[in-house]
Amino acid sequence: LRLAVKRCFTGESCGRYGVTVMIDCKMLVPGLIKKLREREFFKNITVVQAYSKLQKPTVPVGPVVVCGILSIHSQDVSLGQNIKAGEVSVFADICVPFHIRDFDFQEAAQEVFGAFCRDIPAGLSASEITVNTDMQCFVMRLTVTFSDALRINL
């Protein structure tokens, strides 16, 4: 029996022997949103899943964190079997309306990375703070990439 590093990408049990659980692409974002909502920092911040870019932009009243899948790269790793491995990148856009002047983007980024990094990411990145005139917000995009076996059932 080969034991792997215990990693749970959906918050579910990793099994009796700590065998690595596949990254479930369908449950990854809802699981990460749940982790954010459990943190004290996000008690007064709306945390939502991203919708299609075809939706009409909404002007938020307060700070919002919008999470979604940025990209999935996978390939077959076994001959004759449908086993995929690769990377999944998720994003968390921290959106703060222009009228809020005292929001701490660095603390928010630290809290997001703290929640997401419990699942052993392969990479982290943060963009500079930009202006989104449609939403009338300042926006910082945080990206976390996970690398492992994938279950793709979107």
Side-chain angles (χ1 to χ4, degrees), residues 1-153:
L1 173 67
R2 232 174 69 196
L3 298 181
V5 175
K6 185 175 182 178
R7 291 190 258 182
C8 297
F9 294 95
T10 61
E12 63 193 37
S13 170
C14 284
R16 183 175 169 196
Y17 299 106
V19 177
T20 302
V21 173
M22 288 183 179
I23 299 171
D24 186 340
C25 296
K26 186 174 183 177
M27 296 306 298
L28 183 60
V29 172
L32 295 174
I33 288 172
K34 181 180 177 202
K35 288 179 184 180
L36 290 178
R37 288 180 178 159
E38 291 171 351
R39 294 178 87 87
E40 182 67 30
F41 182 84
F42 295 101
K43 284 231 183 270
N44 297 318
I45 297 174
T46 304
V47 181
V48 297
Q49 187 163 342
Y51 293 101
S52 166
K53 291 188 178 196
L54 300 176
Q55 299 285 334
K56 179 180 176 233
T58 303
V59 178
V61 177
V64 177
V65 177
V66 181
C67 301
I69 291 180
L70 184 63
S71 65
I72 300 174
H73 303 281
S74 72
Q75 61 188 15
D76 288 329
V77 293
S78 179
L79 293 174
Q81 296 181 9
N82 187 19
I83 299 174
K84 304 275 188 206
E87 296 182 340
V88 179
S89 293
V90 294
F91 68 88
D93 288 344
I94 303 170
C95 307
V96 180
F98 294 148
H99 66 85
I100 298 176
R101 301 284 184 204
D102 61 347
F103 189 82
D104 189 343
F105 277 93
Q106 289 182 338
E107 185 178 359
Q110 179 180 341
E111 290 290 331
V112 169
F113 284 145
F116 285 16
C117 290
R118 292 189 295 187
D119 291 328
I120 310 173
L124 305 170
S125 69
S127 75
E128 64 183 346
I129 299 170
T130 59
V131 172
N132 184 314
T133 54
D134 290 335
M135 291 177 52
Q136 299 178 18
C137 285
F138 297 107
V139 179
M140 175 187 265
R141 173 162 280 191
L142 307 176
T143 307
V144 179
T145 302
F146 300 97
S147 181
D148 208 332
L150 302 176
R151 181 182 305 136
I152 303 174
N153 55 352

